[in-house]
Amino acid sequence: MSDIKRALVLGGGGVAGIAWETGVLAALADGGVDVTAADRIIGTSAGSAVAAQVTSGLPLPELLERQTDPARQTPELASGVPMEQLWATYQRIYESTPDPAEQRREIGAMALSAATVGEAERRAVIEARLPVHRWPERDLVIVAVEARTGEPRLFTADSGAGLVDVVAASCAVPGVWPCVSIDGVRYMDGGMRTITNADLAAGADRVVVLAPMPDLAEEPAWKGLAGKVEVIEPDAASAAAFGTDPLAPEVRTPSAEAGYAQGRALAARVAAMWS
Protein backbone atom coordinates (compact mmCIF):
# COMPACT_ATOMS: atom_id res chain seq x y z
CA MET A 1 0.00 0.00 0.00
CA SER A 2 2.96 2.32 -0.41
CA ASP A 3 1.10 4.29 -3.08
CA ILE A 4 -1.97 4.77 -0.85
CA LYS A 5 -1.79 8.14 0.87
CA ARG A 6 -5.20 8.20 2.53
CA ALA A 7 -7.45 5.33 3.57
CA LEU A 8 -10.98 5.27 4.93
CA VAL A 9 -11.95 2.25 7.04
CA LEU A 10 -15.64 1.57 7.64
CA GLY A 11 -16.34 -1.03 10.30
CA GLY A 12 -19.27 -3.24 11.20
CA GLY A 13 -22.22 -2.23 13.33
CA GLY A 14 -25.53 -3.43 11.94
CA VAL A 15 -28.31 -1.19 10.69
CA ALA A 16 -27.35 1.34 13.36
CA GLY A 17 -23.77 1.33 12.11
CA ILE A 18 -24.80 2.04 8.52
CA ALA A 19 -26.89 5.00 9.62
CA TRP A 20 -24.30 6.33 12.07
CA GLU A 21 -21.41 6.07 9.62
CA THR A 22 -23.46 7.84 6.96
CA GLY A 23 -24.24 10.63 9.41
CA VAL A 24 -20.62 11.02 10.46
CA LEU A 25 -19.36 11.09 6.85
CA ALA A 26 -21.99 13.61 5.76
CA ALA A 27 -21.20 15.86 8.71
CA LEU A 28 -17.46 15.71 8.11
CA ALA A 29 -18.03 16.72 4.49
CA ASP A 30 -20.32 19.56 5.56
CA GLY A 31 -17.56 20.59 7.97
CA GLY A 32 -15.02 20.81 5.15
CA VAL A 33 -13.38 17.37 5.06
CA ASP A 34 -14.73 14.73 2.67
CA VAL A 35 -12.92 11.58 3.72
CA THR A 36 -14.86 9.52 1.17
CA ALA A 37 -12.37 10.86 -1.39
CA ALA A 38 -9.77 8.54 0.15
CA ASP A 39 -7.40 6.64 -2.13
CA ARG A 40 -8.64 3.35 -0.68
CA ILE A 41 -11.85 2.45 1.14
CA ILE A 42 -12.04 -0.72 3.24
CA GLY A 43 -15.54 -1.87 4.16
CA THR A 44 -16.58 -4.58 6.58
CA SER A 45 -20.13 -5.75 7.30
CA ALA A 46 -22.22 -2.58 7.76
CA GLY A 47 -19.20 -0.67 6.53
CA SER A 48 -19.27 -2.59 3.26
CA ALA A 49 -22.77 -1.27 2.58
CA VAL A 50 -21.67 2.27 3.42
CA ALA A 51 -18.57 1.88 1.25
CA ALA A 52 -20.70 0.79 -1.70
CA GLN A 53 -23.10 3.66 -1.09
CA VAL A 54 -20.49 6.44 -0.83
CA THR A 55 -18.74 5.24 -3.99
CA SER A 56 -22.02 4.97 -5.93
CA GLY A 57 -22.04 8.57 -7.15
CA LEU A 58 -24.93 9.64 -4.93
CA PRO A 59 -24.03 12.73 -2.88
CA LEU A 60 -23.67 12.37 0.86
CA PRO A 61 -26.69 14.60 1.67
CA GLU A 62 -28.91 12.25 -0.34
CA LEU A 63 -27.41 9.19 1.30
CA LEU A 64 -28.04 10.78 4.68
CA GLU A 65 -31.65 11.49 3.76
CA ARG A 66 -32.07 7.81 2.86
CA GLN A 67 -31.23 7.07 6.50
CA THR A 68 -33.09 9.85 8.30
CA ASP A 69 -36.31 10.11 6.26
CA PRO A 70 -38.63 7.16 6.99
CA ALA A 71 -40.28 7.68 3.60
CA ARG A 72 -36.95 7.04 1.85
CA GLN A 73 -35.62 4.23 4.03
CA THR A 74 -35.26 0.90 2.26
CA PRO A 75 -37.00 -2.20 3.66
CA GLU A 76 -35.15 -4.10 6.39
CA LEU A 77 -35.82 -7.42 8.03
CA ALA A 78 -36.08 -7.71 11.80
CA SER A 79 -33.42 -10.10 13.02
CA GLY A 80 -35.64 -12.01 15.44
CA VAL A 81 -32.52 -12.94 17.42
CA PRO A 82 -32.01 -11.56 20.96
CA MET A 83 -28.74 -9.63 20.87
CA GLU A 84 -27.66 -10.66 24.37
CA GLN A 85 -28.01 -14.30 23.36
CA LEU A 86 -26.02 -13.74 20.15
CA TRP A 87 -23.16 -11.89 21.88
CA ALA A 88 -23.02 -14.59 24.55
CA THR A 89 -22.70 -17.27 21.87
CA TYR A 90 -19.86 -15.40 20.20
CA GLN A 91 -18.15 -14.83 23.53
CA ARG A 92 -18.30 -18.51 24.45
CA ILE A 93 -16.63 -19.40 21.17
CA TYR A 94 -13.95 -16.75 21.58
CA GLU A 95 -13.21 -18.00 25.08
CA SER A 96 -13.13 -21.66 24.02
CA THR A 97 -9.90 -21.31 22.04
CA PRO A 98 -7.18 -18.65 21.68
CA ASP A 99 -6.71 -19.47 17.98
CA PRO A 100 -8.48 -16.84 15.84
CA ALA A 101 -8.74 -19.22 12.86
CA GLU A 102 -10.40 -21.88 15.01
CA GLN A 103 -12.73 -19.26 16.47
CA ARG A 104 -13.81 -18.30 12.97
CA ARG A 105 -14.32 -21.95 11.97
CA GLU A 106 -16.52 -22.57 15.01
CA ILE A 107 -18.55 -19.44 14.36
CA GLY A 108 -18.79 -20.48 10.71
CA ALA A 109 -20.15 -23.89 11.68
CA MET A 110 -22.75 -22.17 13.83
CA ALA A 111 -23.62 -19.81 10.96
CA LEU A 112 -24.03 -22.64 8.45
CA SER A 113 -26.38 -24.56 10.75
CA ALA A 114 -28.48 -21.59 11.91
CA ALA A 115 -32.13 -21.32 10.94
CA THR A 116 -32.41 -18.03 9.02
CA VAL A 117 -34.34 -16.46 6.18
CA GLY A 118 -33.32 -17.65 2.73
CA GLU A 119 -30.41 -16.20 0.81
CA ALA A 120 -32.68 -14.69 -1.85
CA GLU A 121 -34.83 -12.87 0.69
CA ARG A 122 -31.79 -11.44 2.45
CA ARG A 123 -30.12 -10.55 -0.86
CA ALA A 124 -33.14 -8.45 -1.82
CA VAL A 125 -32.57 -6.33 1.29
CA ILE A 126 -28.92 -5.72 0.39
CA GLU A 127 -29.83 -4.99 -3.22
CA ALA A 128 -32.29 -2.31 -2.07
CA ARG A 129 -29.63 -0.72 0.15
CA LEU A 130 -27.22 -0.13 -2.73
CA PRO A 131 -27.99 2.74 -5.12
CA VAL A 132 -25.75 1.15 -7.77
CA HIS A 133 -25.12 -2.57 -8.20
CA ARG A 134 -21.84 -2.46 -10.09
CA TRP A 135 -18.38 -2.03 -8.63
CA PRO A 136 -17.18 1.58 -8.63
CA GLU A 137 -14.05 2.68 -10.43
CA ARG A 138 -12.43 3.17 -7.06
CA ASP A 139 -10.00 1.25 -4.89
CA LEU A 140 -12.62 -0.52 -2.79
CA VAL A 141 -11.89 -3.56 -0.61
CA ILE A 142 -14.71 -5.53 1.03
CA VAL A 143 -13.96 -8.20 3.62
CA ALA A 144 -15.83 -11.49 4.10
CA VAL A 145 -14.87 -14.79 5.72
CA GLU A 146 -15.24 -18.31 4.33
CA ALA A 147 -17.65 -19.99 6.70
CA ARG A 148 -16.22 -23.52 6.46
CA THR A 149 -12.51 -22.71 6.61
CA GLY A 150 -12.54 -19.45 8.56
CA GLU A 151 -10.23 -17.91 5.95
CA PRO A 152 -10.73 -14.19 5.23
CA ARG A 153 -11.39 -13.10 1.65
CA LEU A 154 -10.66 -9.59 0.39
CA PHE A 155 -13.01 -8.82 -2.47
CA THR A 156 -12.27 -6.11 -5.04
CA ALA A 157 -13.63 -5.19 -8.45
CA ASP A 158 -11.14 -7.66 -9.94
CA SER A 159 -12.51 -10.59 -7.91
CA GLY A 160 -15.20 -11.39 -10.46
CA ALA A 161 -18.01 -11.47 -7.89
CA GLY A 162 -21.01 -9.15 -8.05
CA LEU A 163 -21.07 -6.18 -5.69
CA VAL A 164 -24.47 -7.04 -4.21
CA ASP A 165 -23.36 -10.59 -3.40
CA VAL A 166 -20.09 -9.41 -1.88
CA VAL A 167 -21.81 -6.85 0.35
CA ALA A 168 -24.39 -9.47 1.34
CA ALA A 169 -21.55 -11.82 2.28
CA SER A 170 -19.75 -9.19 4.30
CA CYS A 171 -23.02 -8.41 6.12
CA ALA A 172 -23.97 -12.04 6.80
CA VAL A 173 -24.03 -11.89 10.61
CA PRO A 174 -23.54 -15.46 11.87
CA GLY A 175 -26.62 -16.84 13.55
CA VAL A 176 -28.81 -14.05 12.17
CA TRP A 177 -28.50 -13.94 8.38
CA PRO A 178 -27.72 -16.73 5.92
CA CYS A 179 -24.21 -17.35 4.67
CA VAL A 180 -23.86 -16.14 1.08
CA SER A 181 -22.84 -18.36 -1.81
CA ILE A 182 -20.27 -16.96 -4.23
CA ASP A 183 -18.84 -19.36 -6.82
CA GLY A 184 -19.87 -22.32 -4.70
CA VAL A 185 -18.23 -21.02 -1.51
CA ARG A 186 -20.28 -19.96 1.54
CA TYR A 187 -19.24 -16.69 3.16
CA MET A 188 -20.11 -15.00 6.43
CA ASP A 189 -19.65 -11.57 7.96
CA GLY A 190 -16.23 -9.97 7.45
CA GLY A 191 -16.40 -8.70 11.02
CA MET A 192 -15.50 -12.20 12.14
CA ARG A 193 -11.91 -11.39 11.15
CA THR A 194 -11.98 -8.10 13.04
CA ILE A 195 -14.80 -5.63 13.34
CA THR A 196 -12.99 -2.98 11.25
CA ASN A 197 -10.10 -4.81 9.54
CA ALA A 198 -8.25 -1.52 9.86
CA ASP A 199 -4.91 -3.32 9.66
CA LEU A 200 -5.56 -3.62 5.92
CA ALA A 201 -4.82 0.11 5.72
CA ALA A 202 -1.20 -0.52 6.67
CA GLY A 203 1.13 1.70 4.67
CA ALA A 204 -1.27 4.60 4.28
CA ASP A 205 -0.03 7.99 5.47
CA ARG A 206 -3.40 8.96 6.95
CA VAL A 207 -6.25 6.70 8.01
CA VAL A 208 -9.73 7.52 9.26
CA VAL A 209 -11.46 4.60 10.99
CA LEU A 210 -15.18 4.57 11.74
CA ALA A 211 -15.79 1.88 14.35
CA PRO A 212 -19.46 1.66 15.37
CA MET A 213 -18.93 -1.39 17.56
CA PRO A 214 -16.14 -2.64 19.85
CA ASP A 215 -13.98 -5.52 18.66
CA LEU A 216 -14.03 -8.87 20.46
CA ALA A 217 -10.32 -9.21 19.70
CA GLU A 218 -7.89 -8.26 22.44
CA GLU A 219 -6.42 -5.33 20.48
CA PRO A 220 -8.22 -3.11 17.96
CA ALA A 221 -7.12 -3.71 14.37
CA TRP A 222 -5.82 -0.16 14.00
CA LYS A 223 -3.13 -0.70 16.61
CA GLY A 224 0.24 -0.76 14.92
CA LEU A 225 -0.66 1.41 11.93
CA ALA A 226 2.33 3.62 11.27
CA GLY A 227 0.61 6.61 9.70
CA LYS A 228 -1.61 9.22 11.30
CA VAL A 229 -4.81 7.56 12.45
CA GLU A 230 -8.10 9.10 13.54
CA VAL A 231 -10.48 6.57 15.11
CA ILE A 232 -14.10 7.64 15.48
CA GLU A 233 -16.23 5.56 17.81
CA PRO A 234 -19.79 6.33 18.95
CA ASP A 235 -20.03 8.98 21.64
CA ALA A 236 -22.57 8.68 24.45
CA ALA A 237 -25.41 10.15 22.40
CA SER A 238 -24.69 7.86 19.46
CA ALA A 239 -24.47 4.78 21.67
CA ALA A 240 -27.81 5.71 23.20
CA ALA A 241 -29.30 6.06 19.72
CA PHE A 242 -28.13 2.54 18.82
CA GLY A 243 -30.12 1.12 21.71
CA THR A 244 -29.81 -2.52 22.68
CA ASP A 245 -30.27 -3.93 19.17
CA PRO A 246 -28.11 -2.38 16.42
CA LEU A 247 -29.88 -4.60 13.86
CA ALA A 248 -33.32 -3.10 14.54
CA PRO A 249 -34.66 -1.08 11.57
CA GLU A 250 -36.14 1.61 13.83
CA VAL A 251 -32.72 2.78 15.03
CA ARG A 252 -31.78 4.22 11.62
CA THR A 253 -33.07 7.75 12.03
CA PRO A 254 -31.75 8.43 15.56
CA SER A 255 -28.41 6.77 14.78
CA ALA A 256 -27.90 8.82 11.62
CA GLU A 257 -28.82 12.04 13.40
CA ALA A 258 -26.50 11.26 16.31
CA GLY A 259 -23.71 10.40 13.88
CA TYR A 260 -24.20 13.69 12.07
CA ALA A 261 -23.99 15.67 15.31
CA GLN A 262 -20.87 13.79 16.33
CA GLY A 263 -19.26 14.29 12.92
CA ARG A 264 -19.82 18.05 13.01
CA ALA A 265 -18.13 18.22 16.40
CA LEU A 266 -15.11 16.31 15.06
CA ALA A 267 -14.78 17.91 11.63
CA ALA A 268 -12.09 20.44 12.47
CA ARG A 269 -9.90 17.84 14.16
CA VAL A 270 -10.28 15.34 11.33
CA ALA A 271 -9.58 18.05 8.75
CA ALA A 272 -6.34 18.99 10.47
CA MET A 273 -5.17 15.37 10.36
CA TRP A 274 -6.43 14.56 6.85
CA SER A 275 -4.99 17.55 5.01
Short mmCIF file of all heavy atoms in Angstrom, two decimals, residues 197-248:
data_model
loop_
_atom_site.label_atom_id
_atom_site.label_comp_id
_atom_site.label_asym_id
_atom_site.label_seq_id
_atom_site.Cartn_x
_atom_site.Cartn_y
_atom_site.Cartn_z
N ASN A 197 -11.17 -4.40 10.45
CA ASN A 197 -10.10 -4.81 9.54
C ASN A 197 -9.21 -3.63 9.15
O ASN A 197 -8.68 -3.55 8.04
CB ASN A 197 -10.68 -5.49 8.30
CG ASN A 197 -11.34 -6.81 8.64
OD1 ASN A 197 -10.69 -7.72 9.14
ND2 ASN A 197 -12.63 -6.91 8.40
N ALA A 198 -9.02 -2.74 10.11
CA ALA A 198 -8.25 -1.52 9.86
C ALA A 198 -6.79 -1.81 9.56
O ALA A 198 -6.10 -0.98 8.95
CB ALA A 198 -8.35 -0.57 11.06
N ASP A 199 -6.30 -2.99 9.96
CA ASP A 199 -4.91 -3.32 9.66
C ASP A 199 -4.65 -3.41 8.17
O ASP A 199 -3.50 -3.32 7.72
CB ASP A 199 -4.51 -4.63 10.34
CG ASP A 199 -5.40 -5.79 9.94
OD1 ASP A 199 -6.63 -5.68 10.08
OD2 ASP A 199 -4.86 -6.80 9.45
N LEU A 200 -5.72 -3.57 7.38
CA LEU A 200 -5.56 -3.62 5.92
C LEU A 200 -5.21 -2.27 5.34
O LEU A 200 -4.90 -2.16 4.16
CB LEU A 200 -6.85 -4.15 5.28
CG LEU A 200 -7.27 -5.56 5.72
CD1 LEU A 200 -8.57 -5.96 5.06
CD2 LEU A 200 -6.17 -6.58 5.41
N ALA A 201 -5.24 -1.23 6.16
CA ALA A 201 -4.82 0.11 5.72
C ALA A 201 -3.35 0.36 5.98
O ALA A 201 -2.86 1.49 5.83
CB ALA A 201 -5.66 1.18 6.41
N ALA A 202 -2.62 -0.67 6.38
CA ALA A 202 -1.20 -0.52 6.67
C ALA A 202 -0.47 0.07 5.46
O ALA A 202 -0.69 -0.35 4.33
CB ALA A 202 -0.59 -1.87 7.04
N GLY A 203 0.37 1.05 5.72
CA GLY A 203 1.13 1.70 4.67
C GLY A 203 0.57 3.05 4.26
O GLY A 203 1.27 3.85 3.63
N ALA A 204 -0.68 3.31 4.60
CA ALA A 204 -1.27 4.60 4.28
C ALA A 204 -0.72 5.68 5.20
O ALA A 204 -0.45 5.43 6.38
CB ALA A 204 -2.79 4.55 4.40
N ASP A 205 -0.54 6.89 4.67
CA ASP A 205 -0.03 7.99 5.47
C ASP A 205 -1.05 8.47 6.49
O ASP A 205 -0.70 8.85 7.61
CB ASP A 205 0.36 9.16 4.56
CG ASP A 205 1.52 8.83 3.66
OD1 ASP A 205 2.29 7.91 4.00
OD2 ASP A 205 1.65 9.46 2.60
N ARG A 206 -2.32 8.47 6.08
CA ARG A 206 -3.40 8.96 6.95
C ARG A 206 -4.58 8.00 6.84
O ARG A 206 -4.97 7.61 5.74
CB ARG A 206 -3.82 10.37 6.56
CG ARG A 206 -2.76 11.42 6.85
CD ARG A 206 -3.11 12.77 6.21
NE ARG A 206 -2.17 13.80 6.58
CZ ARG A 206 -0.96 13.97 6.02
NH1 ARG A 206 -0.58 13.14 5.06
NH2 ARG A 206 -0.17 14.95 6.42
N VAL A 207 -5.14 7.66 7.97
CA VAL A 207 -6.25 6.70 8.01
C VAL A 207 -7.34 7.24 8.92
O VAL A 207 -7.07 7.63 10.06
CB VAL A 207 -5.79 5.33 8.53
CG1 VAL A 207 -6.94 4.33 8.49
CG2 VAL A 207 -4.60 4.80 7.73
N VAL A 208 -8.56 7.24 8.43
CA VAL A 208 -9.73 7.52 9.26
C VAL A 208 -10.49 6.22 9.42
O VAL A 208 -10.82 5.55 8.43
CB VAL A 208 -10.63 8.61 8.65
CG1 VAL A 208 -11.97 8.68 9.39
CG2 VAL A 208 -9.94 9.96 8.71
N VAL A 209 -10.75 5.84 10.66
CA VAL A 209 -11.46 4.60 10.99
C VAL A 209 -12.78 4.95 11.65
O VAL A 209 -12.79 5.65 12.67
CB VAL A 209 -10.63 3.72 11.93
CG1 VAL A 209 -11.38 2.43 12.25
CG2 VAL A 209 -9.26 3.41 11.33
N LEU A 210 -13.88 4.47 11.09
CA LEU A 210 -15.18 4.57 11.74
C LEU A 210 -15.50 3.20 12.32
O LEU A 210 -15.60 2.21 11.59
CB LEU A 210 -16.25 5.01 10.76
CG LEU A 210 -16.49 6.53 10.64
CD1 LEU A 210 -15.23 7.23 10.18
CD2 LEU A 210 -17.64 6.82 9.68
N ALA A 211 -15.62 3.15 13.64
CA ALA A 211 -15.79 1.88 14.35
C ALA A 211 -17.06 1.93 15.19
O ALA A 211 -17.01 2.29 16.37
CB ALA A 211 -14.57 1.59 15.22
N PRO A 212 -18.21 1.57 14.62
CA PRO A 212 -19.46 1.66 15.37
C PRO A 212 -19.54 0.72 16.57
O PRO A 212 -20.25 1.01 17.53
CB PRO A 212 -20.53 1.28 14.34
CG PRO A 212 -19.87 1.43 13.02
CD PRO A 212 -18.42 1.16 13.23
N MET A 213 -18.83 -0.41 16.49
CA MET A 213 -18.93 -1.39 17.56
C MET A 213 -17.55 -1.79 18.07
O MET A 213 -16.58 -1.78 17.30
CB MET A 213 -19.67 -2.65 17.07
CG MET A 213 -21.12 -2.41 16.73
SD MET A 213 -21.93 -3.95 16.20
CE MET A 213 -21.84 -4.91 17.71
N PRO A 214 -17.43 -2.17 19.33
CA PRO A 214 -16.14 -2.64 19.85
C PRO A 214 -15.78 -3.99 19.26
O PRO A 214 -16.65 -4.77 18.85
CB PRO A 214 -16.38 -2.74 21.35
CG PRO A 214 -17.85 -2.93 21.48
CD PRO A 214 -18.48 -2.17 20.37
N ASP A 215 -14.48 -4.27 19.20
CA ASP A 215 -13.98 -5.52 18.66
C ASP A 215 -13.87 -6.55 19.78
O ASP A 215 -13.50 -6.21 20.90
CB ASP A 215 -12.61 -5.30 18.01
CG ASP A 215 -12.35 -6.29 16.89
OD1 ASP A 215 -12.79 -7.44 17.01
OD2 ASP A 215 -11.71 -5.91 15.90
N LEU A 216 -14.19 -7.80 19.47
CA LEU A 216 -14.03 -8.87 20.46
C LEU A 216 -12.57 -9.29 20.59
O LEU A 216 -12.21 -9.99 21.53
CB LEU A 216 -14.89 -10.08 20.07
CG LEU A 216 -16.40 -9.88 20.16
CD1 LEU A 216 -17.13 -11.14 19.69
CD2 LEU A 216 -16.83 -9.53 21.57
N ALA A 217 -11.74 -8.89 19.62
CA ALA A 217 -10.32 -9.21 19.70
C ALA A 217 -9.68 -8.42 20.84
O ALA A 217 -10.20 -7.38 21.28
CB ALA A 217 -9.63 -8.87 18.38
N GLU A 218 -8.53 -8.90 21.30
CA GLU A 218 -7.89 -8.26 22.44
C GLU A 218 -7.42 -6.84 22.10
O GLU A 218 -7.48 -5.95 22.94
CB GLU A 218 -6.70 -9.11 22.91
CG GLU A 218 -7.12 -10.41 23.59
CD GLU A 218 -5.94 -11.14 24.16
OE1 GLU A 218 -4.82 -10.59 24.15
OE2 GLU A 218 -6.13 -12.28 24.63
N GLU A 219 -6.91 -6.64 20.88
CA GLU A 219 -6.42 -5.33 20.48
C GLU A 219 -7.15 -4.88 19.23
O GLU A 219 -7.36 -5.67 18.30
CB GLU A 219 -4.92 -5.36 20.20
CG GLU A 219 -4.06 -5.34 21.45
CD GLU A 219 -2.63 -4.94 21.15
OE1 GLU A 219 -2.25 -4.92 19.97
OE2 GLU A 219 -1.90 -4.64 22.10
N PRO A 220 -7.57 -3.63 19.16
CA PRO A 220 -8.22 -3.11 17.96
C PRO A 220 -7.30 -3.25 16.75
O PRO A 220 -6.07 -3.17 16.87
CB PRO A 220 -8.48 -1.64 18.29
CG PRO A 220 -8.46 -1.57 19.78
CD PRO A 220 -7.47 -2.61 20.21
N ALA A 221 -7.90 -3.44 15.59
CA ALA A 221 -7.12 -3.71 14.37
C ALA A 221 -6.29 -2.52 13.92
O ALA A 221 -5.38 -2.69 13.11
CB ALA A 221 -8.06 -4.15 13.25
N TRP A 222 -6.60 -1.33 14.43
CA TRP A 222 -5.82 -0.16 14.00
C TRP A 222 -4.54 0.00 14.81
O TRP A 222 -3.70 0.83 14.47
CB TRP A 222 -6.65 1.11 14.09
CG TRP A 222 -7.27 1.36 15.43
CD1 TRP A 222 -6.69 1.90 16.53
CD2 TRP A 222 -8.62 1.05 15.81
NE1 TRP A 222 -7.57 1.97 17.58
CE2 TRP A 222 -8.77 1.45 17.17
CE3 TRP A 222 -9.72 0.50 15.15
CZ2 TRP A 222 -9.97 1.30 17.85
CZ3 TRP A 222 -10.91 0.34 15.84
CH2 TRP A 222 -11.03 0.74 17.17
N LYS A 223 -4.37 -0.77 15.85
CA LYS A 223 -3.13 -0.70 16.61
C LYS A 223 -1.97 -1.15 15.71
O LYS A 223 -2.06 -2.15 15.01
CB LYS A 223 -3.19 -1.60 17.84
CG LYS A 223 -4.19 -1.15 18.89
CD LYS A 223 -3.74 0.13 19.57
CE LYS A 223 -4.66 0.49 20.73
NZ LYS A 223 -4.28 1.76 21.39
N GLY A 224 -0.91 -0.39 15.73
CA GLY A 224 0.24 -0.76 14.92
C GLY A 224 0.31 -0.06 13.58
O GLY A 224 1.33 -0.16 12.89
N LEU A 225 -0.75 0.64 13.17
CA LEU A 225 -0.66 1.41 11.93
C LEU A 225 0.35 2.53 12.12
O LEU A 225 0.34 3.24 13.12
CB LEU A 225 -2.03 1.98 11.56
CG LEU A 225 -3.10 0.97 11.12
CD1 LEU A 225 -4.40 1.70 10.82
CD2 LEU A 225 -2.65 0.18 9.90
N ALA A 226 1.22 2.69 11.12
CA ALA A 226 2.33 3.62 11.27
C ALA A 226 1.97 5.06 10.94
O ALA A 226 2.59 6.00 11.44
CB ALA A 226 3.50 3.17 10.39
N GLY A 227 0.98 5.25 10.10
CA GLY A 227 0.61 6.61 9.70
C GLY A 227 -0.23 7.32 10.75
O GLY A 227 -0.46 6.81 11.86
N LYS A 228 -0.70 8.50 10.42
CA LYS A 228 -1.61 9.22 11.30
C LYS A 228 -2.98 8.57 11.23
O LYS A 228 -3.51 8.32 10.15
CB LYS A 228 -1.70 10.69 10.88
CG LYS A 228 -0.39 11.46 11.06
CD LYS A 228 -0.58 12.92 10.67
CE LYS A 228 0.71 13.71 10.89
NZ LYS A 228 0.56 15.13 10.50
N VAL A 229 -3.55 8.30 12.39
CA VAL A 229 -4.81 7.56 12.45
C VAL A 229 -5.81 8.33 13.31
O VAL A 229 -5.50 8.73 14.43
CB VAL A 229 -4.61 6.15 13.03
CG1 VAL A 229 -5.94 5.40 13.05
CG2 VAL A 229 -3.57 5.38 12.23
N GLU A 230 -6.99 8.52 12.78
CA GLU A 230 -8.10 9.10 13.54
C GLU A 230 -9.18 8.03 13.65
O GLU A 230 -9.76 7.61 12.64
CB GLU A 230 -8.65 10.33 12.84
CG GLU A 230 -9.82 10.99 13.55
CD GLU A 230 -9.40 11.73 14.82
OE1 GLU A 230 -8.30 12.33 14.83
OE2 GLU A 230 -10.19 11.72 15.80
N VAL A 231 -9.45 7.58 14.87
CA VAL A 231 -10.48 6.57 15.11
C VAL A 231 -11.71 7.26 15.68
O VAL A 231 -11.63 7.96 16.69
CB VAL A 231 -9.98 5.49 16.08
CG1 VAL A 231 -11.08 4.47 16.33
CG2 VAL A 231 -8.74 4.81 15.51
N ILE A 232 -12.84 7.06 15.02
CA ILE A 232 -14.10 7.64 15.48
C ILE A 232 -15.00 6.51 15.94
O ILE A 232 -15.40 5.65 15.15
CB ILE A 232 -14.77 8.46 14.37
CG1 ILE A 232 -13.83 9.57 13.86
CG2 ILE A 232 -16.09 9.06 14.88
CD1 ILE A 232 -14.39 10.35 12.69
N GLU A 233 -15.31 6.51 17.23
CA GLU A 233 -16.23 5.56 17.81
C GLU A 233 -17.46 6.31 18.33
O GLU A 233 -17.38 7.52 18.57
CB GLU A 233 -15.54 4.81 18.95
CG GLU A 233 -14.32 4.01 18.50
CD GLU A 233 -13.57 3.37 19.67
OE1 GLU A 233 -12.87 4.11 20.39
OE2 GLU A 233 -13.71 2.15 19.85
N PRO A 234 -18.58 5.65 18.50
CA PRO A 234 -19.79 6.33 18.95
C PRO A 234 -19.59 7.04 20.29
O PRO A 234 -19.02 6.46 21.22
CB PRO A 234 -20.82 5.21 19.07
CG PRO A 234 -20.32 4.16 18.14
CD PRO A 234 -18.83 4.22 18.22
N ASP A 235 -20.02 8.29 20.36
CA ASP A 235 -20.03 8.98 21.64
C ASP A 235 -21.26 8.54 22.43
O ASP A 235 -22.02 7.65 21.99
CB ASP A 235 -19.98 10.50 21.45
CG ASP A 235 -21.14 11.05 20.62
OD1 ASP A 235 -22.13 10.30 20.40
OD2 ASP A 235 -21.06 12.22 20.21
N ALA A 236 -21.47 9.13 23.59
CA ALA A 236 -22.57 8.68 24.45
C ALA A 236 -23.93 8.83 23.78
O ALA A 236 -24.78 7.93 23.86
CB ALA A 236 -22.55 9.45 25.77
N ALA A 237 -24.13 9.93 23.06
CA ALA A 237 -25.41 10.15 22.40
C ALA A 237 -25.63 9.14 21.28
O ALA A 237 -26.74 8.64 21.08
CB ALA A 237 -25.48 11.57 21.86
N SER A 238 -24.56 8.84 20.54
CA SER A 238 -24.69 7.86 19.46
C SER A 238 -24.95 6.47 20.01
O SER A 238 -25.79 5.73 19.49
CB SER A 238 -23.41 7.86 18.61
OG SER A 238 -23.25 9.09 17.93
N ALA A 239 -24.25 6.09 21.07
CA ALA A 239 -24.47 4.78 21.67
C ALA A 239 -25.90 4.65 22.17
O ALA A 239 -26.53 3.59 22.04
CB ALA A 239 -23.48 4.57 22.81
N ALA A 240 -26.43 5.73 22.73
CA ALA A 240 -27.81 5.71 23.20
C ALA A 240 -28.78 5.54 22.03
O ALA A 240 -29.79 4.84 22.13
CB ALA A 240 -28.13 6.98 23.98
N ALA A 241 -28.45 6.16 20.90
CA ALA A 241 -29.30 6.06 19.72
C ALA A 241 -29.32 4.64 19.16
O ALA A 241 -30.34 4.17 18.65
CB ALA A 241 -28.83 7.03 18.65
N PHE A 242 -28.19 3.93 19.29
CA PHE A 242 -28.13 2.54 18.82
C PHE A 242 -29.09 1.65 19.60
O PHE A 242 -29.61 0.68 19.06
CB PHE A 242 -26.72 1.99 18.99
CG PHE A 242 -25.70 2.49 18.00
CD1 PHE A 242 -25.92 3.63 17.24
CD2 PHE A 242 -24.51 1.81 17.83
CE1 PHE A 242 -24.97 4.08 16.35
CE2 PHE A 242 -23.55 2.24 16.93
CZ PHE A 242 -23.78 3.40 16.19
N GLY A 243 -29.28 1.95 20.88
CA GLY A 243 -30.12 1.12 21.71
C GLY A 243 -29.49 -0.22 21.99
O GLY A 243 -28.28 -0.41 21.87
N THR A 244 -30.31 -1.20 22.32
CA THR A 244 -29.81 -2.52 22.68
C THR A 244 -29.71 -3.47 21.49
O THR A 244 -29.13 -4.55 21.60
CB THR A 244 -30.71 -3.16 23.75
OG1 THR A 244 -32.05 -3.25 23.24
CG2 THR A 244 -30.70 -2.33 25.03
N ASP A 245 -30.29 -3.07 20.35
CA ASP A 245 -30.27 -3.93 19.17
C ASP A 245 -29.87 -3.13 17.95
O ASP A 245 -30.70 -2.47 17.32
CB ASP A 245 -31.65 -4.56 18.94
CG ASP A 245 -31.66 -5.54 17.78
OD1 ASP A 245 -30.60 -5.72 17.13
OD2 ASP A 245 -32.72 -6.13 17.51
N PRO A 246 -28.58 -3.17 17.57
CA PRO A 246 -28.11 -2.38 16.42
C PRO A 246 -28.63 -2.91 15.08
O PRO A 246 -28.43 -2.26 14.05
CB PRO A 246 -26.59 -2.52 16.50
CG PRO A 246 -26.35 -3.80 17.21
CD PRO A 246 -27.47 -3.92 18.20
N LEU A 247 -29.30 -4.06 15.09
CA LEU A 247 -29.88 -4.60 13.86
C LEU A 247 -31.33 -4.16 13.65
O LEU A 247 -31.92 -4.44 12.60
CB LEU A 247 -29.82 -6.13 13.87
CG LEU A 247 -28.44 -6.77 14.03
CD1 LEU A 247 -28.55 -8.29 13.97
CD2 LEU A 247 -27.48 -6.28 12.97
N ALA A 248 -31.91 -3.48 14.62
CA ALA A 248 -33.32 -3.10 14.54
C ALA A 248 -33.52 -1.97 13.54
O ALA A 248 -32.85 -0.94 13.62
CB ALA A 248 -33.82 -2.68 15.92
#
